[in-house]
Amino acid sequence: MSFLNHIRRCNNADLSQFEPWFVGPERAGFIHRDFAPTLASRPALFGHRDKAWHLDPSLDTPERRSAAMRAFLLELRAQGHFKGLWREEAYAVTWQFTRPALLEMERSAVPWFGVRAFGPHMTGYVRRKDGLHIWVPRRSYSKPTFPGQLDNTVAGGQPAGIGLHENLIKECGEEASIPPELARQAKAVGYVTYWNQSGAQLKPDIMTCFDLELPEDFTPKANDGEVHAFELWPAGRVFETVRDTTEFKYNCNLVLIDFFVRHGMLSADDPDFVPIVEGLRTREPEYTT
Amino acid sequence: MSFLNHIRRCNNADLSQFEPWFVGPERAGFIHRDFAPTLASRPALFGHRDKAWHLDPSLDTPERRSAAMRAFLLELRAQGHFKGLWREEAYAVTWQFTRPALLEMERSAVPWFGVRAFGPHMTGYVRRKDGLHIWVPRRSYSKPTFPGQLDNTVAGGQPAGIGLHENLIKECGEEASIPPELARQAKAVGYVTYWNQSGAQLKPDIMTCFDLELPEDFTPKANDGEVHAFELWPAGRVFETVRDTTEFKYNCNLVLIDFFVRHGMLSADDPDFVPIVEGLRTREPEYTT
């Protein structure tokens, strides 16, 4: 089974290439050794000691930290960082979503600072007489990230200042034209985590899994240009596509594997059952600074 | 919410009171310092070095190890160990259920050797017009362990030499008179783990969670004397009873909390959502030998 390959692919981070950064005593994220010179060039903002980076402690409120970080990131942007990915969307910097944010920062900078991102990922499914079916969207071919790949029915990053379920209801409308009264019935059923590295960028992310049972006569429709088209697939076809291909955006596989487990599509006596289920909520990799 | 209290109660082990024991290079379990003199009294069977116990390496097959262990345990039994709990039921000694057993040993001795036990725990539920209902058994008042407590619909320890699903089908018949053709439809949907200590006994167990949707007109019936009686409860009543009381056998709470999560009965925005879900599959506690 190659479900484990997807889990390994999502969890490719080598923390020995990173150092943590702190806001006061609280760890906010990780800085790659190739990005470190950028921080080192601003010693008033980021100090370095004991193999870790520390945000200027005189920035003693979330507002001050957010403003200083924004000024820094805008300079980096002017130097050509973040390219076309800048979104003008604030993410909360915190290791635990329900805790107060240490500061807020622009979404596209988040993986450069190894800050944990959050977000709801929903599987919209239909119980038909001929079995379980899942609504599968293909991402727009014009999206800057992962164009044309398959995706979770509805998914979104988590902007600061809004709850996960509320955000999901918003995304359901924007991405799939699912009306709020229907989207509200989505149920949080678990989460998946992974530690993914792409060059100097780190995503130690946690995605909350939602299920939404949709009526047979409802058809999601692309709305905001994020989705190319939706197709209703038998769950078995989704299962095989996840298992055998890389057609789904890399982290969406984890949400679907979690769905397969929760809906009893794996056997308890499969030698990979425990490793797969365990791998969906990975631990922090070991590192020595 | 006191779901976290149940998780903490199940995970009370202090590994600093234990030392691991090995069969060759493979860790088989843990020995409490109060039980260690019993092993030390048999230096031909258990050697001690580098703060760990090692089964006699000349026992070079599972059969030889099982025979030597059985002889040892029968002596202990003759000295008054295990009391009325001796079951004459062989458990596989292995950290991963689907790997070949290092040896087999009597069930009642397993927690004395800190060996991981496995087993299927099933939630039998009914989708009624008025909502989800769960079949809740009360354990027989004459059971030697946890008499009169509430339990998972069907649950059992995992004897050596039989698959988890096959064992569940057997237990469904024995404990609840659920016929094999119905029990076969049970689906493995996850697992829970915990590290529970009771005096010198350690249970670093892993229980596979199964769901079985039962027809409205089916009533489970006690069969082998393990169950006093079954009652069909609205899922909300089970939720509140788990949350607010200790009426369920301690580890059964975890299986039900996992059910509540998977069936969307917790909110994604509850600050305890991630800690609860995380706590259902705990890591090995840190210890230094």
Side-chain angles (χ1 to χ4, degrees):
Chain A
M1 229 171 353
S2 67
F3 289 149
L4 284 173
N5 290 343
H6 286 299
I7 290 169
R8 277 188 284 265
R9 188 171 160 231
C10 285
N11 287 281
N12 68 339
D14 175 4
L15 284 194
S16 72
Q17 301 173 14
F18 293 83
E19 287 179 331
W21 69 279
F22 289 85
V23 176
E26 220 172 305
R27 193 180 69 188
F30 293 87
I31 304 297
H32 192 269
R33 60 189 176 207
D34 293 347
F35 189 60
T38 307
L39 268 62
S41 71
R42 298 297 297 270
L45 188 56
F46 281 101
H48 189 257
R49 64 174 189 274
D50 303 333
K51 297 178 177 173
W53 297 90
H54 299 268
L55 191 69
D56 174 11
S58 76
L59 301 166
D60 55 359
T61 66
E63 292 69 28
R64 280 181 198 145
R65 292 174 203 132
S66 301
M69 178 64 89
R70 181 169 170 81
F72 179 42
L73 295 179
L74 284 170
E75 277 181 48
L76 294 183
R77 183 191 183 190
Q79 291 162 19
H81 272 282
F82 316 122
K83 305 209 173 67
L85 295 175
W86 187 278
R87 310 227 195 180
E88 212 51 80
E89 186 177 333
Y91 267 27
V93 176
T94 174
W95 210 251
Q96 230 176 300
F97 179 66
T98 52
R99 295 188 58 184
L102 298 167
L103 70 156
E104 295 180 4
M105 70 189 292
E106 155 62 22
R107 175 175 182 171
S108 57
V110 158
W112 290 94
F113 289 80
V115 162
R116 169 170 278 178
F118 304 84
H121 275 239
M122 189 190 85
T123 307
Y125 68 97
V126 184
R127 277 183 212 276
R128 292 195 345 189
K129 271 191 210 120
D130 57 341
L132 213 59
H133 285 62
I134 295 174
W135 280 106
V136 177
R138 189 174 294 281
R139 295 164 70 88
S140 162
Y141 289 96
S142 61
K143 266 186 93 85
T145 53
F146 310 98
Q149 285 222 275
L150 302 177
D151 206 331
N152 294 129
T153 313
V154 172
Q158 184 64 29
I162 176 174
L164 283 159
H165 205 143
E166 199 186 340
N167 184 32
L168 177 66
I169 293 168
K170 184 175 75 66
E171 295 280 354
C172 275
E174 289 173 4
E175 291 191 356
S177 314
I178 298 173
E181 61 274 19
L182 195 49
R184 205 166 286 125
Q185 294 169 30
K187 291 172 175 176
V189 287
Y191 68 80
V192 297
T193 52
Y194 54 90
W195 287 76
N196 186 259
Q197 179 181 356
S198 174
Q201 298 182 66
L202 181 71
K203 294 172 73 62
D205 293 357
I206 178 164
M207 306 189 299
T208 306
C209 304
F210 287 83
D211 276 4
L212 176 59
E213 182 170 352
L214 288 162
E216 274 202 60
D217 59 0
F218 178 83
T219 299
K221 274 190 297 289
N223 181 5
D224 64 357
E226 304 256 320
V227 170
H228 174 70
F230 283 96
E231 284 183 24
L232 187 65
W233 287 16
R237 181 179 167 195
V238 182
F239 186 97
E240 287 165 12
T241 303
V242 169
R243 188 188 60 196
D244 303 334
T245 79
T246 54
E247 287 191 47
F248 280 91
K249 185 188 157 212
Y250 75 107
N251 57 356
C252 296
N253 289 296
L254 302 192
V255 175
L256 285 165
I257 296 168
D258 187 71
F259 182 93
F260 303 149
V261 172
R262 289 183 293 97
H263 288 265
M265 296 174 73
L266 268 66
S267 159
D269 294 298
D270 187 319
D272 288 341
F273 183 82
V274 168
I276 287 170
V277 178
E278 189 175 28
L280 294 174
R281 300 188 201 141
T282 50
R283 310 173 181 199
E284 179 166 330
E286 286 181 27
Y287 72 106
T288 46
T289 51
Chain B
M1 245 196 311
S2 67
F3 289 149
L4 284 173
N5 289 343
H6 286 300
I7 290 168
R8 278 188 283 263
R9 189 172 160 230
C10 285
N11 287 279
N12 67 340
D14 175 4
L15 283 194
S16 72
Q17 301 173 14
F18 293 83
E19 288 179 330
W21 69 279
F22 289 85
V23 175
E26 221 172 305
R27 193 181 68 188
F30 292 87
I31 304 297
H32 192 269
R33 59 188 176 208
D34 293 346
F35 189 60
T38 307
L39 268 62
S41 71
R42 299 296 297 270
L45 188 57
F46 281 101
H48 189 257
R49 61 174 191 274
D50 303 333
K51 297 179 177 172
W53 298 90
H54 298 268
L55 192 69
D56 173 11
S58 76
L59 300 167
D60 56 359
T61 66
E63 291 70 27
R64 280 181 198 147
R65 292 175 203 130
S66 301
M69 178 63 89
R70 180 169 173 80
F72 179 42
L73 295 179
L74 284 171
E75 277 179 49
L76 294 182
R77 183 192 183 190
Q79 291 162 20
H81 273 281
F82 315 123
K83 306 212 173 65
L85 295 175
W86 186 277
R87 309 227 195 181
E88 213 49 82
E89 185 177 334
Y91 267 29
V93 176
T94 174
W95 210 252
Q96 231 177 299
F97 179 66
T98 52
R99 294 188 60 183
L102 298 166
L103 70 156
E104 294 180 4
M105 70 190 291
E106 156 61 23
R107 174 174 184 172
S108 56
V110 158
W112 290 94
F113 288 81
V115 162
R116 169 169 277 177
F118 304 84
H121 275 239
M122 190 189 88
T123 307
Y125 67 97
V126 184
R127 277 183 212 275
R128 293 195 345 189
K129 271 191 209 120
D130 57 341
L132 213 59
H133 285 62
I134 295 174
W135 280 106
V136 177
R138 191 174 293 281
R139 295 164 69 90
S140 163
Y141 289 96
S142 61
K143 266 184 92 85
T145 54
F146 311 97
Q149 285 222 272
L150 301 178
D151 206 331
N152 295 129
T153 314
V154 173
Q158 185 62 28
I162 176 174
L164 283 158
H165 205 144
E166 198 186 339
N167 183 32
L168 177 66
I169 294 169
K170 183 175 76 65
E171 295 281 353
C172 276
E174 289 173 5
E175 292 190 356
S177 314
I178 298 173
E181 59 275 18
L182 194 50
R184 204 166 287 126
Q185 295 170 29
K187 290 171 175 176
V189 287
Y191 69 78
V192 297
T193 52
Y194 53 90
W195 288 75
N196 186 259
Q197 178 181 356
S198 173
Q201 299 181 68
L202 181 71
K203 293 172 73 62
D205 293 357
I206 178 165
M207 306 190 298
T208 306
C209 304
F210 287 82
D211 276 5
L212 176 59
E213 184 171 350
L214 288 162
E216 275 201 60
D217 60 359
F218 178 83
T219 299
K221 275 191 296 293
N223 181 5
D224 63 358
E226 305 255 320
V227 170
H228 174 71
F230 284 96
E231 283 183 24
L232 187 66
W233 287 17
R237 180 179 168 196
V238 182
F239 186 96
E240 287 165 13
T241 303
V242 169
R243 189 188 58 196
D244 302 335
T245 79
T246 54
E247 287 191 47
F248 279 90
K249 186 190 156 209
Y250 75 107
N251 58 356
C252 296
N253 289 296
L254 302 192
V255 175
L256 285 164
I257 296 168
D258 187 71
F259 182 93
F260 303 149
V261 172
R262 289 184 293 97
H263 288 265
M265 296 173 73
L266 267 68
S267 159
D269 294 299
D270 186 319
D272 287 341
F273 183 82
V274 168
I276 287 170
V277 178
E278 189 175 27
L280 294 174
R281 301 189 200 140
T282 50
R283 310 172 181 199
E284 180 166 329
E286 286 180 27
Y287 72 105
T288 45
T289 52

